[in-house]
Amino acid sequence: QVQLVESGGGLVQAGGSLRLSCVASGRTFSNLVMGWLRQAPGKEREFVARISQRSFSTNYADSVKGRFAISRDNALSTVYLQMNSLKPEDTAVYYCAAGTTWSTNIYEYAYWGQGTQVTVSL
């Protein structure tokens, strides 16, 4: 089992920045592919970003490419999502997710956090 706890969400104006953090426990963090997913009101949950076990590879949804950056610190069992140039359409609950396969399919992630709300105002 893996427990994931997100933090860092909040209310920000359009154009602003936020950094989300997710601390993992319960399994060797460095063996896990980590991802961030989000779910906006009335929409399905969607892939945002992922990072490989040793940070060699990252991948982003087209909607956030160039604005968001995923990183991880294996010594702290923590993954981050730096979000810049935020837009109102980025408003969603953001979930940290962990798995063992390199996939953008959200259902390939076996473990999910509880989510943190990000609200971007005009």
Side-chain angles (χ1 to χ4, degrees), residues 26-45:
R27 189 167 167 174
T28 303
F29 182 74
S30 59
N31 290 342
L32 297 169
V33 173
M34 298 301 298
W36 286 96
L37 316 170
R38 70 184 181 185
Q39 187 166 18
K43 296 188 177 181
E44 293 188 355
R45 198 168 294 190

mmCIF file of all heavy atoms in Angstrom, residues 26-45:
data_model
loop_
_atom_site.group_PDB
_atom_site.id
_atom_site.type_symbol
_atom_site.label_atom_id
_atom_site.label_comp_id
_atom_site.label_asym_id
_atom_site.label_seq_id
_atom_site.Cartn_x
_atom_site.Cartn_y
_atom_site.Cartn_z
ATOM 1 N N GLY A 26 4.791 4.214 2.776
ATOM 2 C CA GLY A 26 4.273 2.859 2.707
ATOM 3 C C GLY A 26 4.954 1.949 1.711
ATOM 4 O O GLY A 26 4.740 0.750 1.728
ATOM 5 N N ARG A 27 5.765 2.526 0.831
ATOM 6 C CA ARG A 27 6.441 1.716 -0.177
ATOM 7 C C ARG A 27 7.658 2.489 -0.638
ATOM 8 O O ARG A 27 7.700 3.706 -0.529
ATOM 9 C CB ARG A 27 5.503 1.425 -1.341
ATOM 10 C CG ARG A 27 6.030 0.420 -2.350
ATOM 11 C CD ARG A 27 4.944 -0.044 -3.289
ATOM 12 N NE ARG A 27 5.502 -0.763 -4.421
ATOM 13 C CZ ARG A 27 4.790 -1.384 -5.343
ATOM 14 N NH1 ARG A 27 3.477 -1.369 -5.277
ATOM 15 N NH2 ARG A 27 5.380 -2.009 -6.328
ATOM 16 N N THR A 28 8.639 1.800 -1.195
ATOM 17 C CA THR A 28 9.851 2.483 -1.645
ATOM 18 C C THR A 28 9.501 3.478 -2.744
ATOM 19 O O THR A 28 9.143 3.102 -3.865
ATOM 20 C CB THR A 28 10.878 1.466 -2.161
ATOM 21 O OG1 THR A 28 11.158 0.521 -1.119
ATOM 22 C CG2 THR A 28 12.156 2.175 -2.557
ATOM 23 N N PHE A 29 9.622 4.751 -2.402
ATOM 24 C CA PHE A 29 9.185 5.821 -3.301
ATOM 25 C C PHE A 29 9.943 5.786 -4.611
ATOM 26 O O PHE A 29 9.359 6.015 -5.679
ATOM 27 C CB PHE A 29 9.396 7.154 -2.581
ATOM 28 C CG PHE A 29 8.950 8.346 -3.355
ATOM 29 C CD1 PHE A 29 7.601 8.638 -3.499
ATOM 30 C CD2 PHE A 29 9.882 9.199 -3.947
ATOM 31 C CE1 PHE A 29 7.177 9.750 -4.209
ATOM 32 C CE2 PHE A 29 9.474 10.320 -4.661
ATOM 33 C CZ PHE A 29 8.107 10.590 -4.788
ATOM 34 N N SER A 30 11.217 5.489 -4.555
ATOM 35 C CA SER A 30 12.039 5.534 -5.761
ATOM 36 C C SER A 30 11.697 4.440 -6.771
ATOM 37 O O SER A 30 12.204 4.462 -7.893
ATOM 38 C CB SER A 30 13.522 5.453 -5.396
ATOM 39 O OG SER A 30 13.789 4.256 -4.683
ATOM 40 N N ASN A 31 10.841 3.513 -6.409
ATOM 41 C CA ASN A 31 10.392 2.473 -7.333
ATOM 42 C C ASN A 31 9.121 2.859 -8.079
ATOM 43 O O ASN A 31 8.672 2.122 -8.961
ATOM 44 C CB ASN A 31 10.120 1.163 -6.590
ATOM 45 C CG ASN A 31 11.387 0.509 -6.086
ATOM 46 O OD1 ASN A 31 12.481 0.820 -6.554
ATOM 47 N ND2 ASN A 31 11.248 -0.383 -5.116
ATOM 48 N N LEU A 32 8.545 4.003 -7.730
ATOM 49 C CA LEU A 32 7.239 4.386 -8.231
ATOM 50 C C LEU A 32 7.312 5.448 -9.323
ATOM 51 O O LEU A 32 8.068 6.413 -9.204
ATOM 52 C CB LEU A 32 6.365 4.911 -7.093
ATOM 53 C CG LEU A 32 6.036 3.926 -5.979
ATOM 54 C CD1 LEU A 32 5.412 4.652 -4.800
ATOM 55 C CD2 LEU A 32 5.116 2.828 -6.490
ATOM 56 N N VAL A 33 6.502 5.258 -10.347
ATOM 57 C CA VAL A 33 6.192 6.354 -11.271
ATOM 58 C C VAL A 33 5.173 7.242 -10.566
ATOM 59 O O VAL A 33 4.199 6.754 -9.983
ATOM 60 C CB VAL A 33 5.593 5.815 -12.582
ATOM 61 C CG1 VAL A 33 5.109 6.965 -13.464
ATOM 62 C CG2 VAL A 33 6.596 4.932 -13.315
ATOM 63 N N MET A 34 5.413 8.540 -10.611
ATOM 64 C CA MET A 34 4.512 9.470 -9.940
ATOM 65 C C MET A 34 3.831 10.368 -10.962
ATOM 66 O O MET A 34 4.429 10.762 -11.975
ATOM 67 C CB MET A 34 5.276 10.329 -8.939
ATOM 68 C CG MET A 34 5.925 9.537 -7.816
ATOM 69 S SD MET A 34 4.755 8.582 -6.824
ATOM 70 C CE MET A 34 3.726 9.893 -6.157
ATOM 71 N N GLY A 35 2.592 10.676 -10.664
ATOM 72 C CA GLY A 35 1.836 11.524 -11.585
ATOM 73 C C GLY A 35 0.947 12.501 -10.849
ATOM 74 O O GLY A 35 0.714 12.371 -9.640
ATOM 75 N N TRP A 36 0.510 13.483 -11.583
ATOM 76 C CA TRP A 36 -0.516 14.416 -11.115
ATOM 77 C C TRP A 36 -1.693 14.333 -12.094
ATOM 78 O O TRP A 36 -1.496 14.341 -13.323
ATOM 79 C CB TRP A 36 0.003 15.840 -11.055
ATOM 80 C CG TRP A 36 0.936 16.096 -9.926
ATOM 81 C CD1 TRP A 36 2.299 16.067 -9.964
ATOM 82 C CD2 TRP A 36 0.574 16.420 -8.573
ATOM 83 N NE1 TRP A 36 2.806 16.352 -8.729
ATOM 84 C CE2 TRP A 36 1.773 16.581 -7.853
ATOM 85 C CE3 TRP A 36 -0.638 16.599 -7.905
ATOM 86 C CZ2 TRP A 36 1.804 16.899 -6.496
ATOM 87 C CZ3 TRP A 36 -0.615 16.926 -6.563
ATOM 88 C CH2 TRP A 36 0.595 17.073 -5.869
ATOM 89 N N LEU A 37 -2.867 14.268 -11.524
ATOM 90 C CA LEU A 37 -4.107 14.214 -12.277
ATOM 91 C C LEU A 37 -4.991 15.331 -11.755
ATOM 92 O O LEU A 37 -4.730 15.869 -10.667
ATOM 93 C CB LEU A 37 -4.785 12.858 -12.073
ATOM 94 C CG LEU A 37 -3.874 11.623 -12.143
ATOM 95 C CD1 LEU A 37 -4.626 10.395 -11.697
ATOM 96 C CD2 LEU A 37 -3.330 11.444 -13.546
ATOM 97 N N ARG A 38 -6.028 15.678 -12.490
ATOM 98 C CA ARG A 38 -6.958 16.687 -11.986
ATOM 99 C C ARG A 38 -8.366 16.402 -12.463
ATOM 100 O O ARG A 38 -8.570 15.734 -13.474
ATOM 101 C CB ARG A 38 -6.512 18.085 -12.405
ATOM 102 C CG ARG A 38 -6.654 18.376 -13.900
ATOM 103 C CD ARG A 38 -6.099 19.747 -14.232
ATOM 104 N NE ARG A 38 -6.229 20.066 -15.650
ATOM 105 C CZ ARG A 38 -5.737 21.165 -16.214
ATOM 106 N NH1 ARG A 38 -5.068 22.067 -15.486
ATOM 107 N NH2 ARG A 38 -5.918 21.366 -17.508
ATOM 108 N N GLN A 39 -9.305 16.937 -11.705
ATOM 109 C CA GLN A 39 -10.711 16.799 -12.071
ATOM 110 C C GLN A 39 -11.407 18.128 -11.845
ATOM 111 O O GLN A 39 -11.496 18.607 -10.700
ATOM 112 C CB GLN A 39 -11.396 15.695 -11.271
ATOM 113 C CG GLN A 39 -12.807 15.405 -11.739
ATOM 114 C CD GLN A 39 -13.354 14.112 -11.185
ATOM 115 O OE1 GLN A 39 -12.852 13.570 -10.201
ATOM 116 N NE2 GLN A 39 -14.391 13.585 -11.830
ATOM 117 N N ALA A 40 -11.880 18.706 -12.924
ATOM 118 C CA ALA A 40 -12.616 19.962 -12.862
ATOM 119 C C ALA A 40 -14.089 19.665 -12.640
ATOM 120 O O ALA A 40 -14.571 18.568 -12.947
ATOM 121 C CB ALA A 40 -12.423 20.741 -14.162
ATOM 122 N N PRO A 41 -14.834 20.634 -12.124
ATOM 123 C CA PRO A 41 -16.268 20.418 -11.878
ATOM 124 C C PRO A 41 -16.993 19.980 -13.153
ATOM 125 O O PRO A 41 -16.855 20.613 -14.201
ATOM 126 C CB PRO A 41 -16.749 21.789 -11.407
ATOM 127 C CG PRO A 41 -15.542 22.445 -10.852
ATOM 128 C CD PRO A 41 -14.390 21.966 -11.671
ATOM 129 N N GLY A 42 -17.735 18.900 -13.067
ATOM 130 C CA GLY A 42 -18.513 18.427 -14.196
ATOM 131 C C GLY A 42 -17.725 17.720 -15.280
ATOM 132 O O GLY A 42 -18.280 17.381 -16.324
ATOM 133 N N LYS A 43 -16.432 17.513 -15.038
ATOM 134 C CA LYS A 43 -15.586 16.868 -16.043
ATOM 135 C C LYS A 43 -14.965 15.601 -15.495
ATOM 136 O O LYS A 43 -14.915 15.387 -14.287
ATOM 137 C CB LYS A 43 -14.500 17.831 -16.519
ATOM 138 C CG LYS A 43 -15.028 19.050 -17.244
ATOM 139 C CD LYS A 43 -13.903 19.853 -17.848
ATOM 140 C CE LYS A 43 -14.436 21.028 -18.643
ATOM 141 N NZ LYS A 43 -13.335 21.819 -19.253
ATOM 142 N N GLU A 44 -14.457 14.781 -16.390
ATOM 143 C CA GLU A 44 -13.779 13.563 -15.963
ATOM 144 C C GLU A 44 -12.365 13.890 -15.484
ATOM 145 O O GLU A 44 -11.772 14.892 -15.872
ATOM 146 C CB GLU A 44 -13.721 12.577 -17.132
ATOM 147 C CG GLU A 44 -15.080 12.044 -17.551
ATOM 148 C CD GLU A 44 -14.984 10.942 -18.579
ATOM 149 O OE1 GLU A 44 -13.867 10.652 -19.046
ATOM 150 O OE2 GLU A 44 -16.029 10.371 -18.929
ATOM 151 N N ARG A 45 -11.851 12.994 -14.661
ATOM 152 C CA ARG A 45 -10.481 13.147 -14.195
ATOM 153 C C ARG A 45 -9.528 12.987 -15.376
ATOM 154 O O ARG A 45 -9.736 12.134 -16.241
ATOM 155 C CB ARG A 45 -10.192 12.106 -13.120
ATOM 156 C CG ARG A 45 -9.005 12.404 -12.259
ATOM 157 C CD ARG A 45 -8.957 11.500 -11.046
ATOM 158 N NE ARG A 45 -10.073 11.740 -10.145
ATOM 159 C CZ ARG A 45 -10.165 11.219 -8.925
ATOM 160 N NH1 ARG A 45 -9.195 10.415 -8.482
ATOM 161 N NH2 ARG A 45 -11.207 11.462 -8.161
#
